[in-house]
Amino acid sequence: GSDDIIAGNVSKYTVLPAGYCGQPKKGHLIFDSCFESGNLGRVDHITEFEYDLFIRPDTCNPRFRVWFNFTVENVKESQ
């Protein structure tokens, strides 16, 4: 659930639709935040155009999430 503790950063995480088998295609997004200042903890696929992103709390103040830093690859045109 959304109350789960997010411990680490996603690292080259490919988001595939539920029930999809096989190699990722163009449009199956790849999220990464495994670099200095990256803070993306979890990604949930909702639809082709909608994702829920869970940002890890700030290091010095776990009550706040005032910035975000991650990359997205494998985007198709108009996505």
Side-chain angles (χ1 to χ4, degrees), residues 24-49:
K25 295 192 255 182
K26 193 75 166 171
H28 292 159
L29 301 184
I30 301 169
F31 292 86
D32 185 37
S33 67
C34 198
F35 49 85
E36 185 176 345
S37 78
N39 69 336
L40 182 61
R42 191 174 97 211
V43 179
D44 292 346
H45 178 266
I46 306 302
T47 69
E48 178 184 5
F49 301 102

